[in-house]
Amino acid sequence: MPPRYFEALSPGYGRTSPRSALSSNAPRIDLNGPWAFRLSPTGLDETDGFEHPAFHDGQWDRLPVPSHWQLHGYGRPVYLNIPHPIPLDPPYVPDENPTGDYRRVFDLPESWADTPAVVRFEGVESCARVWLNGVELGVTLGSRLAAEFDVTDALRPGRNVLAVRVHQYSSGTYLEDQDTWRLAGIIRDVSLLARPADGIRDVFVHADYDAATGAGRLRIEVDADAEATLSIPALGVTGASVTETFTFDGVRPWSAEDPHLYDAMITTPGEVADLRIGFRTVAVTDSGILTVNGRRVVLRGVNRHEFHPDRGRCVTVDDMRDDVLSMKRHNINAVRTSHYPPHPAFLDLCDEYGLWVMVECALETHGFEMTKPQPWLGNPSDDPRWREAYLDRAVRTVERDKNHAGVISWSLGNEAGDGRNLEAMAAWIRERDPSRPIHYEGDRLARYVDLYGEMYRTPANVSRIGRGLLRPGEKFYPATDGEGDPADEPRNRMPYNYTEFAHAMGNGPGGLAEYMQLCDRYPRVQGGFVWEWRDQGLRTTDDQGRAFFAYGGDFGEEVHDGNFICDGLAFPDGTPSPGLLEYQKVIEPVVIGPGSVPGRLRVHNRYDVVDLSHLRFTWSLARDGVLLDEGTLPTPDLDAGEESEVPLPSAATNGDGGGECWLTVQAELAKPATWAAEGHVVAWGQVPLPPSGGRAVRAVLGTGLKAAEPAGPQILLGPARFDRSTGRLLGLGDHAFAGPWLSLWRAPTDNDRAWAQRDAMYWEAHGLQRLRHRTVSTDPDAEGLTVVVRSAASASDCGYLTTYRWETDGRRLRVRVHTEPVGHWPERDDHFQEAMVEADLPPEEYAELVRRNKAPSLARIGLHWELPGEWSRVSWFGAGPGEAYPDSRQAARVGRFRASVDELQTPYVRPQDNGNRADVRWAEIVDERGAGLRVEGAELFNLAARRWSDRHLAEARHQTDLSAGPTVHLHTDHVVQGLGSGAVGPGVLPGHRLEVGPADFTFVLAALQAE
């Protein structure tokens, strides 16, 4: 059977040539809104006449356009990452191919009589056949690419009927295997556009900036059948011929930090097009550095899928603006439009507010990597039969988006292997638009791209790349050693960017600081894009009417990839996650910290372009978390890239009394910006100050230790009561509670579950989630109580032996804990092969980190307590206000904080360990009247409290699976393991790993009475 039209290798037929998205005064009819709709389960190629105007669709449903039909009750969403949703049988698709028929009736105004026109689809997923008034216009493939059809001869005065048949699967499906929900429909705007005979068909703006002279050079190509003129009021241009090349002695260049645009108009007798022109020049220097306007730029960016929890990829302009504003407010300066061109309005917003953009072609064939007996068999990327379809995607991407100042790079696509068709795309783009460098991560030897990019390399390997040590032919994925002199390897002379890094799945990512520090060390390492911007959880309800965010498997799919779709820095509704707050801090454009000598403050301007004159610097001084004084500092006069030291405020150098003193300095917007209000905090830093009264002393008792006294089934030690047989604390003063138990496990994070590092598997294989405790001895004496407990799991000979030494001064209770591993702890089965440790470290340090990298691990070493459920208010002095872990700690500052137990939780879409507060000095957990418990640590400790156990947390699939119990579970941990981003890429870096080993720590407890 010959291929049907939706299985053709060509990208369709009947479309007009692609062109830029122009804003003009030509008449336009918006065709969005309710359309008549019906769905068939099979891939129909013949019609029943629904395309004809006389067809009666009164019994059809009504479906909004744009939308995905699966989100309106027709079929079901399917989430897949790598596998294709259909058999690998290119270019064919199964007969079970959901097909939607659409009809839209509209009236043509009399003023449109005899006016040429096109119908424009901004995106249809995945193949559409189009008719107007029964006349076939053509077929288009390319789900996120614009398509225009000439309707001049088919339009009628008055009533018109536009009919569209949309197939969910087509030959284009093989080229659109992106990591996202598999949905279908008319997903972007539809409009009828008048094309006046003397109008403007296309425009190509070339606006260059000379950084040496400040001059601007403007050349505009206009495709029109009539004379066109140009006006730029701000530059004194009025009615000039567009055939001229304009040179301006001084222009204000466009950058992501200062996104200045010049309003311009191109006029022909039949049409006026409005442009927003940004002067800027993108170049790669001979030393391999990406520059804009002559300055090195660092991409502090994100990969962005279009997504809304209710509408899927059908996003509104308000949705897009919310994304852009949130990015700007969190110091993000760059976007990779993974893995397709976005709605054109998004790029308008990037131009307006200021974001560097890498626009990516709608291309991914990732499922072919899974072919057997070897990967990439039959991959279209190297099949000449697919060449036209590949080139079509490149052409339509570049032509639509070529006039955007914010677009500084083109990307050929994502995870489509390698091959001649990709090379052809690069060649066409380089010929059409040599002003922007080309990226494609799959060209791992950088044969036809200008920017060398890799995904999820370890910091150790990025350091090698930054130092120019790649050998000719060397690759990381698949691993290939290469050979020869690094001086002969072209990639060592190219900009390097993190195409994707720091996979933000669940609780994480960890290690952001280590990645971005490499941009400071190596000029060719120029940042990149975290995967990804937002969790793609679809809002739905359970059978009890409770709302939750769904992921793969929640819709009864046959094959799915679970919650791998929830890997963003923002939650599905756009709420910032702790990972986004960490990234905001790590990439902040001003670094504030201690100076080289006491009494000085170091300020580093990390902006790429602008000075600090738009900021004001404020300071506050606190002792033990209590505010003492505050004020402002003069704004340092620093250009981009400069740093200096300034004196501390006098109040910070004249301390009196003891305690722990911290100076906090913030860089705030001195006046409103387009993206944030005055006072928005752009950056901050903290400096510890030496108190004149000496260092703070924590967790001490008064004089005169009390004896432990057996009393029936209990042992009394001052205000404390212990179980005589187990030695477990039963209460303190008037308060009853239970604990402590040694805790070594946490509800695994998505990163803990990583297949390569295997931490979660190691923990569970050795029963850390089901420890049993045996009291070895309980020994009261004249100065306290010693309890020894062995903790291990059934069917395991490895565990921990813990000695608790309890002492009291009659008011406060101190426990000194010594715990050490016992039995055989086997090696962890770590399959991650990339280097995790930089080879140029001193030999002893290198060897130690290599050992730690593979060592047996624990999630935590600490104590678990069960407290009364009414103890729901928590205050602490330590790092906060949000959660923090050893490798995700930058966003937390030292201070006093308060929260309810419920507010301490982070609602990750798939429940997992969360809410850890780091560097805690003391904490109080009390009821509404202030009665409860105070815990002080002799050492800094970690704090977490929740209304469910770790096992309950680990078993839950969604937040609605968590129900509050009668107990508050309190964790006071001496140490916890970091997070890493091992769900994809490197796990916890060796310096942040927690290995099996002994630990010593001390807590002091005090009962708090009601106020």
Side-chain angles (χ1 to χ4, degrees):
M1 180 181 294
R4 294 161 286 192
Y5 67 87
F6 50 84
E7 296 170 318
L9 289 167
S10 72
Y13 56 85
R15 293 192 316 262
T16 61
S17 298
R19 63 193 183 109
S20 57
L22 290 175
S23 171
S24 86
N25 68 343
R28 174 182 181 275
I29 296 176
D30 183 355
L31 297 179
N32 290 346
W35 289 46
F37 177 78
R38 70 177 178 186
L39 184 69
S40 168
T42 59
L44 305 173
D45 53 355
E46 299 298 330
T47 77
D48 59 356
F50 84 97
E51 70 272 21
H52 295 293
F55 185 89
H56 181 64
D57 61 20
Q59 300 302 310
W60 288 22
D61 296 332
R62 294 297 181 266
L63 184 72
V65 168
S67 72
H68 302 286
W69 65 59
Q70 289 89 348
L71 301 186
H72 290 266
Y74 304 95
R76 60 190 179 189
V78 173
Y79 166 59
L80 290 168
N81 173 22
I82 298 176
H84 280 82
I86 57 176
L88 285 183
D89 183 25
Y92 301 99
V93 299
D95 295 334
E96 297 87 357
N97 183 9
T99 297
D101 290 334
Y102 293 78
R103 282 170 53 92
R104 175 71 155 85
V105 177
F106 64 93
D107 290 325
L108 190 71
E110 293 181 3
S111 60
W112 283 59
D114 300 322
T115 300
V118 296
V119 62
R120 182 178 178 93
F121 296 86
E122 295 293 350
V124 184
E125 193 161 347
S126 73
C127 172
R129 188 178 181 187
V130 185
W131 297 263
L132 181 64
N133 297 324
V135 177
E136 183 177 2
L137 303 178
V139 169
T140 183
L141 292 87
S143 298
R144 294 93 172 188
L145 298 167
E148 288 184 343
F149 297 94
D150 190 327
V151 297
T152 305
D153 294 336
L155 272 176
R156 299 175 180 175
R159 182 178 185 269
N160 288 262
V161 178
L162 181 63
V164 184
R165 171 160 283 179
V166 178
H167 303 280
Q168 179 164 359
Y169 303 128
S170 68
S171 58
T173 302
Y174 291 101
L175 308 185
E176 295 176 355
D177 189 33
Q178 288 97 350
D179 176 12
T180 187
W181 290 102
R182 309 309 168 99
L183 302 167
I186 302 177
I187 64 171
R188 290 183 183 163
D189 307 299
V190 184
S191 53
L192 186 72
L193 305 176
R195 304 305 313 131
D198 292 330
I200 302 166
R201 212 202 80 73
D202 199 11
V203 173
F204 194 171
V205 175
H206 307 269
D208 301 320
Y209 177 73
D210 188 329
T213 65
R217 183 177 182 274
L218 178 65
R219 179 174 59 89
I220 300 181
E221 301 175 42
V222 177
D223 182 357
D225 294 328
E227 182 180 354
T229 61
L230 172 67
S231 296
I232 311 176
L235 293 176
V237 177
T238 304
S241 172
V242 295
T243 60
E244 296 182 38
T245 296
F246 301 87
T247 302
F248 307 99
D249 291 339
V251 296
R252 182 173 166 186
W254 187 96
S255 71
E257 295 167 6
D258 182 21
H260 186 75
L261 296 169
Y262 289 91
D263 291 324
M265 293 179 295
I266 295 177
T267 304
T268 66
E271 186 175 7
V272 177
D274 297 318
L275 300 175
R276 306 201 75 192
I277 296 174
F279 288 88
R280 57 104 185 94
T281 297
V282 185
V284 175
T285 70
D286 292 340
S287 56
I289 296 174
L290 175 67
T291 63
V292 181
N293 301 332
R295 303 192 67 95
R296 174 183 183 257
V297 296
V298 176
L299 304 176
R300 301 173 173 96
V302 291
N303 287 277
R304 174 186 176 266
H305 268 292
E306 294 181 308
F307 184 75
H308 185 277
D310 302 313
R311 297 187 296 276
R313 283 187 289 282
C314 301
V315 292
T316 67
V317 174
D318 286 342
D319 297 333
M320 300 176 227
R321 182 176 287 107
D322 288 345
D323 276 358
V324 171
L325 293 177
S326 184
M327 290 175 189
K328 293 289 291 186
R329 291 166 185 164
H330 290 94
N331 294 328
I332 289 165
N333 70 0
V335 176
R336 174 179 175 231
T337 67
S338 55
H339 298 294
Y340 41 83
H343 190 289
F346 179 76
L347 298 179
D348 292 335
L349 294 167
C350 293
D351 288 349
E352 177 183 352
Y353 291 102
L355 289 169
W356 311 117
V357 181
M358 175 185 285
V359 170
E360 192 148 271
C361 291
L363 175 64
E364 180 162 347
T365 65
H366 203 175
F368 286 91
E369 189 178 24
M370 303 176 70
T371 55
K372 305 296 182 181
Q374 64 188 54
W376 299 111
L377 287 175
N379 183 25
S381 294
D382 200 40
D383 186 338
R385 297 177 302 163
W386 291 87
R387 178 186 173 94
E388 182 186 0
Y390 273 62
L391 283 174
D392 175 74
R393 289 169 184 261
V395 171
R396 290 160 73 185
T397 297
V398 171
E399 295 295 355
R400 194 198 72 171
D401 297 335
K402 58 184 178 282
N403 293 327
H404 287 282
V407 177
I408 62 170
S409 174
W410 302 114
S411 177
L412 303 182
N414 183 70
E415 293 175 321
D418 200 356
R420 290 166 288 180
N421 296 332
L422 289 155
E423 293 184 54
M425 292 170 71
W428 183 91
I429 293 173
R430 191 168 283 114
E431 176 69 22
R432 178 60 171 153
D433 179 28
S435 71
R436 295 176 174 100
I438 296 171
H439 163 275
Y440 174 61
E441 183 266 346
D443 180 15
R444 300 206 167 99
L445 294 178
R447 294 178 293 110
Y448 47 87
V449 297
D450 307 298
L451 305 177
Y452 171 42
E454 288 267 11
M455 295 183 182
Y456 308 109
R457 298 285 71 83
T458 64
N461 276 328
V462 173
S463 178
R464 285 192 64 240
I465 295 169
R467 287 181 286 150
L469 298 180
L470 291 176
R471 296 177 294 274
E474 178 182 358
K475 288 188 291 187
F476 293 105
Y477 184 76
T480 306
D481 286 340
E483 59 183 10
D485 188 344
D488 297 328
E489 173 50 64
R491 290 172 297 168
N492 291 329
R493 299 181 296 277
M494 298 176 70
Y496 175 79
N497 77 86
Y498 305 133
T499 304
E500 295 176 16
F501 80 112
H503 191 264
M505 187 175 179
N507 190 349
L512 285 167
E514 283 81 357
Y515 275 108
M516 297 312 295
Q517 286 165 3
L518 295 170
C519 300
D520 296 330
R521 287 167 56 185
Y522 306 111
R524 289 177 37 255
V525 177
Q526 295 189 246
F529 310 95
V530 168
W531 185 267
E532 65 174 309
W533 169 240
R534 184 188 291 221
D535 286 342
Q536 296 181 63
L538 290 170
R539 196 184 338 252
T540 188
T541 55
D542 63 15
D543 55 8
Q544 300 179 46
R546 299 176 300 177
F548 67 96
F549 294 118
Y551 49 78
D554 286 329
F555 298 100
E557 307 99 304
E558 292 179 351
V559 181
H560 63 85
D561 282 316
N563 69 311
F564 209 72
I565 191 85
C566 295
D567 47 13
L569 290 170
F571 293 121
D573 61 1
T575 302
S577 76
L580 179 53
L581 301 181
E582 178 76 1
Y583 195 37
Q584 175 188 23
K585 174 62 178 171
V586 167
I587 62 176
E588 61 188 0
V590 183
V591 177
I592 303 167
S596 58
V597 296
R600 307 287 289 180
L601 187 74
R602 175 178 170 266
V603 179
H604 180 198
N605 178 1
R606 289 203 303 187
Y607 282 108
D608 296 324
V609 176
V610 301
D611 60 25
L612 302 183
S613 59
H614 64 294
L615 302 176
R616 65 167 174 249
F617 284 67
T618 63
W619 61 270
S620 61
L621 178 65
R623 179 184 298 120
D624 293 336
V626 177
L627 181 66
L628 295 178
D629 202 354
E630 56 188 346
T632 60
L633 287 171
T635 298
D637 183 14
L638 295 174
D639 286 333
E642 293 183 344
E643 61 181 281
S644 69
E645 295 191 2
V646 299
L648 298 181
S650 59
T653 59
N654 298 318
D656 54 356
E660 188 174 344
C661 294
W662 288 84
L663 175 73
T664 303
V665 178
Q666 296 187 155
E668 308 168 352
L669 290 180
K671 58 183 179 180
T674 58
W675 46 271
E678 178 182 348
H680 170 78
V681 178
V682 169
W684 60 270
Q686 279 194 309
V687 178
L689 303 176
S692 59
R695 296 180 58 84
V697 179
R698 297 186 297 271
V700 296
L701 299 181
T703 58
L705 298 180
K706 306 300 181 181
E709 301 175 357
Q714 296 184 356
I715 296 174
L716 304 181
L717 181 62
R721 305 179 301 281
F722 295 84
D723 183 280
R724 190 168 183 173
S725 61
T726 65
R728 187 163 298 141
L729 181 64
L730 302 175
L732 190 63
D734 297 332
H735 304 324
F737 52 87
W741 294 271
L742 181 71
S743 182
L744 306 174
W745 182 75
R746 67 188 180 200
T749 68
D750 289 312
N751 292 312
D752 291 336
R753 295 174 183 264
W755 67 270
Q757 282 77 27
R758 304 197 174 200
D759 284 296
M761 287 180 276
Y762 184 84
W763 303 336
E764 293 177 7
H766 296 92
L768 302 190
Q769 78 280 18
R770 50 184 175 83
L771 292 180
R772 304 285 183 89
H773 307 279
R774 177 178 64 85
T775 302
V776 176
S777 61
T778 303
D779 298 317
D781 59 40
E783 293 187 336
L785 171 67
T786 301
V787 178
V788 179
V789 178
R790 191 181 192 278
S791 302
S794 57
S796 176
D797 69 343
C798 63
Y800 261 71
L801 189 67
T802 306
T803 300
Y804 301 91
R805 176 59 183 174
W806 299 94
E807 298 165 331
T808 183
D809 59 5
R811 185 176 62 89
R812 292 153 59 88
L813 180 68
R814 179 170 63 197
V815 57
R816 303 177 190 266
V817 180
H818 172 76
T819 187
E820 60 186 27
V822 294
H824 173 62
W825 289 83
E827 290 299 306
R828 182 168 46 85
D829 187 18
D830 188 328
H831 288 271
F832 193 73
Q833 298 301 314
E834 275 197 44
M836 292 285 281
V837 184
E838 290 194 36
D840 63 339
L841 291 173
E844 290 185 4
E845 181 180 358
Y846 174 81
E848 172 61 12
L849 289 175
V850 168
R851 185 197 64 77
R852 290 188 62 180
N853 182 52
K854 301 291 186 180
S857 71
L858 301 173
R860 55 167 34 121
I861 299 177
L863 304 182
H864 171 209
W865 314 76
E866 292 184 358
L867 309 180
E870 60 269 21
W871 291 8
S872 60
R873 295 164 50 192
V874 182
S875 58
W876 73 98
F877 176 38
E883 70 181 27
Y885 291 78
D887 56 354
S888 182
R889 166 66 179 78
Q890 305 302 311
R893 65 183 71 188
V894 176
R896 285 197 189 194
F897 305 98
R898 292 182 175 85
S900 68
V901 169
D902 294 334
E903 290 169 340
L904 290 177
Q905 313 311 307
T906 302
Y908 294 109
V909 174
R910 186 192 71 77
Q912 55 199 273
D913 189 82
N914 71 90
N916 186 74
R917 267 57 181 182
D919 297 345
V920 177
R921 283 76 167 159
W922 58 258
E924 294 180 351
I925 304 92
V926 299
D927 63 16
E928 294 295 327
R929 301 176 303 140
L933 182 68
R934 178 181 174 95
V935 182
E936 296 179 15
E939 305 84 13
L940 301 179
F941 67 96
N942 296 272
L943 174 76
R946 55 182 65 101
R947 295 187 177 277
W948 35 77
S949 69
D950 282 355
R951 292 189 69 173
H952 188 181
L953 185 62
E955 291 165 359
R957 293 190 72 250
H958 299 100
Q959 290 295 320
T960 49
D961 296 330
L962 296 171
S963 55
T967 300
V968 169
H969 294 266
L970 174 70
H971 287 275
T972 56
D973 293 323
H974 176 56
V975 282
V976 299
Q977 171 144 297
L979 300 171
S981 64
V984 175
V988 182
L989 297 178
H992 303 302
R993 296 197 66 85
L994 175 56
E995 63 177 302
V996 172
D1000 293 273
F1001 51 95
T1002 299
F1003 294 112
V1004 168
L1005 314 179
L1008 301 176
Q1009 304 304 318
E1011 298 175 354

